[in-house]
Amino acid sequence: MSARAAGAVVSPMLLRLAREHATGALIRDHGTLYLVDGRVAHARSPVAPGADVLLTAGGRQPRQGRISAGELEICHLGALFDAAFFALAPGRGPARFQYGAVHGTPAAPAVRPVPAADIERETLRRRELLDTVWPYPAVDAAPVVPRPAAPGQTVTPRQRDLLAHADGLRTPAQLAWALGRPAFHVLLEIRRLAAAGLVTTPPEPAPPVPYEAMTHGAVPYRAVPREPPLHDPAGFAPEPDIALLRRLRDALEAHL
Amino acid sequence: MANTETALKEATTVIDGALGAALVDYTSGMALGTIGGGKDLDLTVAAAGNTDVVRAKVRTMEMLGLQEEIEDILITLGTQYHLIRLLKGRGANGLFLYLALDKQRANLAMARHQLKKIEAELEI
């Protein structure tokens, strides 16, 4: 909410290109957005599994005509927003725009280009959602280490599946690729699991991830840096963290 | 076989009293498509918010040990019905159709039936 109220913008360059009705590739540290006439027609990020990976995850073969038009469209649209979210993560270098560049996917996806403003709004919403669930971005890039459930504590079937694949080595992005799920979905579920105490929260913020490491599945997304350095949420902070205590109280009350 | 746009269009034209409809991914809360709505009913906000409704119900069912699946969820307001239909099918992992209806003009039984039909046509 606060970010939106302050008129936060994910990428001023994207909005400017949209106003210009530009066609080409917006190349950023963590991925590329392909614009056609100012709209986002395709997005790619090494973190986010592409539509082909998502479609074949359940042993389905898109090329055998077993996928309906509805499913194909939804899958491509989901993959586009997923890749855009990571591509728009804060990078270190300036973004570049290659006028005229188009993405060379041979089987053109059956998805209508998305207005840049929609991408902006959704990316902001997703950042806020992650921080509402559990404001510790360190869990996004760290290997997922499950913790034993409290007596009577339950998880959803999709979370159970995720925990079953968390071997203490895989990062959320690597789990996304392994399970063929959108990377943001996995990030969000891991934050939910961390908030529930079912996954460890690393004590230190993740060190900056070098770009080379990203192609091997580390997650580049980092939320807006917080002023006080992150402390171990499970340990003792020098000063009481009122927000955390409130969250704890609310969570405990929700379980009464 | 229909794409999301035609399915949503059908939902708002075929179903009497429909005020707006959205196809929502309930893991992320994103509306994959919307139709209708307007300044009185922001469907993208409704999509994100109703995601919490679905999640809460799924969690409750886990806690109760119910092995069933949710077909739909009905929310009745003073002047509106809000209908959430969870989609099934191989590719429908975590999607729901959200439909807002004008209580005066809508026939609830008919609307549920038609929503089911639209789901089948979407062939997800």
Side-chain angles (χ1 to χ4, degrees), chain B residues 14-54:
Chain B
V14 173
I15 302 177
D16 286 335
L19 301 169
L23 179 68
V24 186
D25 170 316
Y26 89 69
T27 308
S28 68
M30 181 177 77
L32 291 157
T34 61
I35 194 160
K39 65 173 168 55
D40 295 332
L41 180 67
D42 185 333
L43 285 167
T44 54
V45 172
N50 280 287
T51 293
D52 294 333
V53 174
V54 176

Side-chain angles (χ1 to χ4, degrees), chain B residues 10-18 99 101 107 110-111 114-115 118:
Chain B
E10 196 180 338
T12 46
T13 49
V14 173
I15 302 177
D16 286 335
L99 180 68
L101 296 163
N107 175 334
M110 210 44 197
Q114 278 159 333
L115 207 53
I118 289 163

